[in-house]
Amino acid sequence: MSCFQGLFFCPEAASLLLHNFCIYHISPPGHELGAASIHPDEPVPSVDDLADQVIEVLNYFGLGAVMCMGVTAGAYILTLFALKYRERVLGLILISPLCKAPSWSEWLYNKVVSNFLYFYGMCGFVKEYLLQRYFSQEVRGDADVQESDIVQACRKLLDERKSINVLRFLQAINGRPDITEGLRRLKCRTLIFVGDDSPFHSEALYMTSKLDRRYSALVEVQSCGSMVTEEQPHAMLIPMEYFFMGYGLYRPYRFSESPRSPLSPSCISPELLSPESMGLKLKPIKTRVSLQTEKGRER
């Protein structure tokens, strides 16, 4: 959820999204609020397994076709999901997405980080590695400039994560295949955001070049890292509004006050900014629970 707090706590963006959607947030296994450590004997899921779990969540809640939004690795999973279950995806909003298999340097570096996670847990080296992938140098700060509040908040959230769960997710992403060949067949509309300072900037450009130009658009955000949703959520407002117009979805015009902004902050009350009130389904559900197990619990 830390990838989306900046976007949803931006009143204009929150009102644009909540006016048109009920939001379902899907966390990777072991990353939900209050998650316990996953047993080491549990098999590490593949990216295909993670994409298949998305369809299980949709079926659990009785959802049909949905609009998907994901950041970096999450964007990859949702793109793979869209390739596998095309009829269930109306559109994709991808932030600093991946589409290629990891390069040798990325694969090796992830292996090193995985070893640190295994032996030392969520140590300073691992946190710095992840923060460099998430944020631009400007918000990370340096010896003379203090790191920003969003980086401090992310650092705290990383401390709360179980290292074995983060390790398993990193292993899954490090084993991802190249999905470039399927991108041309992707017919749902796709809106891609990427920061100029993101380590995934070149991959986002590459992915855009492989998509059908009739259905895709790229927005490059200056002086921003991978998490555009956190660093510059306001930069997403106008492109998202035009993107939604293609589906006949519009902002609530009666609340509009500024020609510069899609929405007025006054159109959403503060109490709606809590996760429980934003339409977020926070109660964890388990996928792939066997029917026999459920019957045993009922007994």
Side-chain angles (χ1 to χ4, degrees):
M1 291 179 62
S2 59
C3 296
F4 302 98
Q5 288 180 353
L7 180 65
F8 280 98
F9 278 77
C10 170
E12 293 178 335
S15 54
L16 172 64
L17 294 168
L18 294 175
H19 178 70
N20 291 295
F21 302 101
C22 176
I23 311 298
Y24 290 76
H25 175 73
I26 302 176
S27 293
H31 287 67
E32 66 274 13
L33 295 174
S37 296
I38 299 175
H39 196 278
D41 292 339
E42 287 288 326
V44 176
S46 67
V47 288
D48 277 292
D49 293 330
L50 296 174
D52 290 340
Q53 287 185 348
V54 175
I55 197 68
E56 294 183 35
V57 173
L58 299 191
N59 292 339
Y60 179 90
F61 287 106
L63 303 176
V66 296
M67 186 79 67
C68 297
M69 178 186 292
V71 179
T72 58
Y76 175 94
I77 298 298
L78 291 176
T79 304
L80 181 60
F81 169 71
L83 291 172
K84 297 182 70 173
Y85 303 96
R86 299 179 191 179
E87 72 284 355
R88 302 299 289 272
V89 179
L90 288 174
L92 291 169
I93 301 176
L94 308 175
I95 298 91
S96 304
L98 312 173
C99 66
K100 296 189 287 188
S103 64
W104 280 109
S105 59
E106 181 191 350
W107 182 89
L108 181 59
Y109 215 85
N110 284 341
K111 282 291 185 180
V112 173
V113 172
S114 297
N115 286 334
F116 269 83
L117 278 168
Y118 183 81
F119 289 107
Y120 304 108
M122 188 58 71
C123 59
F125 171 78
V126 175
K127 283 186 284 189
E128 291 304 320
Y129 168 73
L130 294 174
L131 290 173
Q132 288 176 17
R133 295 180 69 164
Y134 298 157
F135 301 108
S136 64
Q137 181 65 57
E138 184 177 349
V139 298
R140 293 202 316 273
D142 51 34
D144 300 319
V145 180
Q146 185 180 5
E147 64 184 16
S148 68
D149 292 341
I150 59 173
V151 176
Q152 293 179 20
C154 186
R155 188 183 296 276
K156 182 179 178 181
L157 287 168
L158 288 174
D159 284 330
E160 297 171 357
R161 292 291 173 266
K162 302 295 184 182
S163 57
I164 184 64
N165 299 354
V166 178
L167 168 61
R168 290 165 57 86
F169 185 61
L170 184 60
Q171 289 174 330
I173 297 303
N174 210 31
R176 68 184 187 271
D178 191 312
I179 57 173
T180 303
E181 289 300 318
L183 295 178
R184 185 66 66 178
R185 301 192 304 270
L186 200 61
K187 298 305 180 184
C188 67
R189 300 187 183 191
T190 305
L191 177 61
I192 295 177
F193 293 92
V194 66
D196 279 350
D197 296 332
S198 169
F200 308 114
H201 179 262
S202 60
E203 185 145 355
L205 298 182
Y206 174 80
M207 181 175 181
T208 304
S209 70
K210 298 301 179 180
L211 290 167
D212 192 323
R213 294 185 179 182
R214 295 174 297 173
Y215 306 110
S216 60
L218 171 70
V219 179
E220 298 179 75
V221 183
Q222 295 182 348
S223 303
C224 186
S226 299
M227 284 202 194
V228 183
T229 49
E230 288 294 301
E231 286 195 51
Q232 298 194 36
H234 284 89
M236 301 178 64
L237 294 175
I238 299 298
M240 283 198 305
E241 183 177 6
Y242 280 108
F243 183 70
F244 293 150
M245 284 181 181
Y247 297 89
L249 304 175
Y250 298 91
R251 60 188 172 91
Y253 286 98
R254 62 184 181 279
F255 294 116
S256 180
E257 295 177 357
S258 169
R260 174 180 169 273
S261 302
L263 298 168
S264 166
S266 62
C267 70
I268 181 168
S269 57
E271 59 268 19
L272 287 179
L273 294 178
S274 65
E276 294 82 0
S277 302
M278 286 169 54
L280 291 167
K281 304 301 182 181
L282 295 180
K283 183 179 179 181
I285 69 168
K286 292 184 178 180
T287 61
R288 307 194 177 202
V289 177
S290 68
L291 186 60
Q292 187 65 34
T293 302
E294 290 298 321
K295 288 181 178 178
R297 287 178 181 172
E298 290 173 1
R299 292 171 188 162

